[in-house]
Amino acid sequence: YSADFILEKLQEWSDAEVDDRQELIAKAAAYSGYSHLLLGEGFCTVAIDESPELTSQEVIQRAVDRFDVALQAAQSAGSADLANFARVGRARAYLGLGNTSSALADAQQVPADFEYVATASGEFSRRANRVYAQNGDGPTGGTALSIGEEYRNMTYNGDPDPRVPVSDFIRTEADGTDLYYQYKYTSLSDPLPLATGDEAQLIVAEIQGGQTAVNIINNFHSAVGLDPFPGGSAAEIEAQVIEERQRELWLEGHRFFDIRRLDLPLIPAPNTPYRKGGLYGTDRCFPLPAVEIRNNPNIG
């Protein structure tokens, strides 16, 4: 809402009235795009500003519309960073919509070393790195959560994968949780990546496959000292790209939707007993909260 409200006002005013107006439009539209994108990825259905109940695809299309505005304004302002910020977001949105040709066109324009981050600060809790605040080893780190079993001791050809740094077992909490720490973020002030050239490269690899994907994977492996991926069948390359996304983009907000859009196995498997009672379910998205339904006259 904040981004859309600001965007609306900026579009009403003129360049003469607001310094750097096009750059501000690009930033507001891009942040609105990412907000819509994350809602569409995470929720089964969405309602925005008393809209009717929208499908995930409808909300993600709204994200594309915002990124269109952001990219045009960024180019008018001459801001390469904001233009690439919008391109990565739009490529991600197009991928979610199944529009692979448009996703590829955007992703291919993003430099491999591009990074756009959300800054963080330990001075105010609302600006803290939330991953470290929930799971971080140190005097200001939190222990509310542990690291899932599938991310502990990740290796490639027997060598530890440094992209997924997780501590050895620390202790067992009072509720029986085995506590493991992540070390990707090491303080409350560590920035959080929002859009990167790594993500864009992985979108290219997923869409193009073949030797292009193998080369991209091996660029990632070379950067962290892992053995090269030898390639294989189309299915084997595709599976490795999905694995690379899990590792390269770890704790950056992608895996949840990847599980949904790619129909990946749920871990733990559905109907597995939960140690505190009940069974694990089959949901792959969050349902629209009841409060959104009760407070919205356009949803019956």
Side-chain angles (χ1 to χ4, degrees):
Y1 172 82
S2 296
D4 279 345
F5 179 78
I6 292 167
L7 177 61
E8 179 183 350
K9 294 302 180 183
L10 287 167
Q11 290 174 324
E12 290 175 0
W13 297 324
S14 68
D15 289 345
E17 293 174 295
V18 181
D19 291 340
D20 301 320
R21 174 171 164 266
Q22 291 300 317
E23 183 173 334
L24 293 172
I25 286 174
K27 189 173 293 186
Y31 275 104
S32 175
Y34 274 97
S35 298
H36 283 82
L37 180 57
L38 290 170
L39 286 170
E41 290 179 346
F43 283 86
C44 309
T45 58
V46 179
I48 299 171
D49 296 336
E50 293 191 349
S51 71
E53 195 165 0
L54 304 172
T55 67
S56 294
Q57 300 288 285
E58 288 173 324
V59 179
I60 293 175
Q61 180 57 55
R62 288 190 178 199
V64 170
D65 297 340
R66 301 307 196 280
F67 289 130
D68 288 344
V69 174
L71 182 56
Q72 182 177 358
Q75 290 171 329
S76 295
S79 174
D81 271 358
L82 286 172
N84 285 318
F85 185 37
R87 287 191 184 101
V88 175
R90 194 168 67 174
R92 176 173 172 176
Y94 278 137
L95 190 67
L97 294 171
N99 184 345
T100 54
S101 60
S102 295
L104 181 63
D106 275 337
Q108 287 178 321
Q109 295 185 65
V110 178
D113 61 353
F114 172 72
E115 185 175 61
Y116 196 99
V117 302
T119 61
S121 170
E123 188 174 356
F124 304 104
S125 60
R126 293 190 61 165
R127 291 211 61 231
N129 179 308
R130 296 300 295 274
V131 177
Y132 184 79
Q134 294 289 319
N135 179 274
D137 184 8
T140 58
T143 58
L145 303 174
S146 188
I147 301 300
E149 291 184 22
E150 65 270 30
Y151 296 99
R152 302 170 192 171
N153 301 313
M154 271 195 163
T155 63
Y156 184 79
N157 283 355
D159 294 322
D161 192 330
R163 296 172 295 179
V164 190
V166 177
S167 70
D168 291 333
F169 172 72
I170 301 298
R171 65 175 182 270
T172 298
E173 295 288 89
D175 66 355
T177 300
D178 291 336
L179 186 60
Y180 289 76
Y181 285 118
Q182 60 77 34
Y183 286 95
K184 181 167 184 170
Y185 306 111
T186 58
S187 79
L188 294 172
S189 59
D190 278 4
L192 290 153
L194 292 181
T196 65
D198 292 343
E199 179 188 348
Q201 287 289 292
L202 286 163
I203 290 172
V204 173
E206 181 176 336
I207 294 169
Q208 291 199 317
Q211 190 59 45
T212 296
V214 172
N215 292 343
I216 289 171
I217 291 168
N218 284 331
N219 287 339
F220 288 132
H221 282 209
S222 176
V224 295
L226 292 175
D227 290 344
F229 171 62
S233 66
E236 289 169 331
I237 293 172
E238 180 183 15
Q240 188 61 37
V241 170
I242 294 170
E243 183 65 21
E244 294 297 317
R245 284 184 61 86
Q246 180 174 212
R247 298 176 182 221
E248 195 69 36
L249 305 177
W250 186 54
L251 298 179
E252 294 181 19
H254 296 269
R255 184 64 176 176
F256 187 72
F257 189 56
D258 279 359
I259 290 171
R260 182 181 176 190
R261 73 180 179 88
L262 298 169
D263 196 28
L264 302 177
L266 293 172
I267 301 174
N271 297 317
T272 300
Y274 177 49
R275 60 184 174 79
K276 295 185 181 182
L279 303 173
Y280 283 96
T282 59
D283 291 347
R284 293 173 180 267
C285 53
F286 294 112
L288 185 64
V291 66
E292 297 290 341
I293 298 171
R294 290 196 300 267
N295 290 337
N296 190 336
N298 295 307
I299 298 178

